[in-house]
Amino acid sequence: MLYNKAQGAFVLDINSPNARVATISEIRNKLKETFDQAQERVVYVVSNNQKLGAVIGPKHLELLEEALEREAEARMLAVAEARLKSLRDGDSDLLDEDEFWGEKAKKTNR
């Protein structure tokens, strides 16, 4: 939030030039228009100068899902690389299937 001296109040700072800001009342009264606008740009939902959420269209949702998937894949790859390094360095042993499921059962029963 930024303080606006001219208005004498805090104002919400949205760092996206194409974004739109709407209050809950505006969205309630103009639901279809809000969804239409969300096809091309993010519509931030605000109340008392606080972001509550956002309305996005399918195109933005798909981009967001792809980004989250890439992030999850990158985390899994980092874990796999660390595990492989510890195996190569001799810091860790491979478990056979019975040992694996036994360890899993111990952790689940805690």
Side-chain angles (χ1 to χ4, degrees):
M1 254 192 303
L2 300 173
Y3 186 75
N4 184 314
K5 287 184 182 179
Q7 292 180 357
F10 286 95
V11 294
L12 190 65
D13 179 29
I14 303 290
N15 294 324
S16 179
N18 294 328
R20 180 182 176 304
V21 176
T23 64
I24 294 172
S25 297
E26 289 173 321
I27 291 174
R28 189 179 304 122
N29 294 329
K30 299 179 180 180
L31 188 60
K32 183 180 180 337
E33 291 90 343
T34 301
F35 280 105
D36 289 344
Q37 290 175 347
Q39 301 306 307
E40 298 302 321
R41 58 188 177 169
V42 176
V43 179
Y44 288 99
V45 182
V46 299
S47 178
N48 297 321
N49 281 331
Q50 298 292 319
K51 288 182 197 175
L52 299 178
V55 180
I56 60 174
K59 185 171 49 176
H60 288 105
L61 180 59
E62 187 176 319
L63 291 171
L64 178 60
E65 289 172 337
E66 288 172 2
L68 291 171
E69 188 175 306
R70 282 192 305 273
E71 182 181 324
E73 289 170 354
R75 283 195 310 267
M76 286 188 292
L77 181 60
V79 168
E81 287 173 342
R83 177 74 173 125
L84 185 57
K85 182 181 182 324
S86 72
L87 288 169
R88 285 184 178 147
D89 293 347
D91 297 333
S92 174
D93 294 325
L94 285 175
L95 299 176
D96 68 22
E97 185 176 357
D98 292 334
E99 291 172 319
F100 172 83
W101 289 113
E103 291 294 321
K104 173 80 169 127
K106 285 181 197 175
K107 290 180 181 179
T108 303
N109 293 330
R110 287 185 192 173

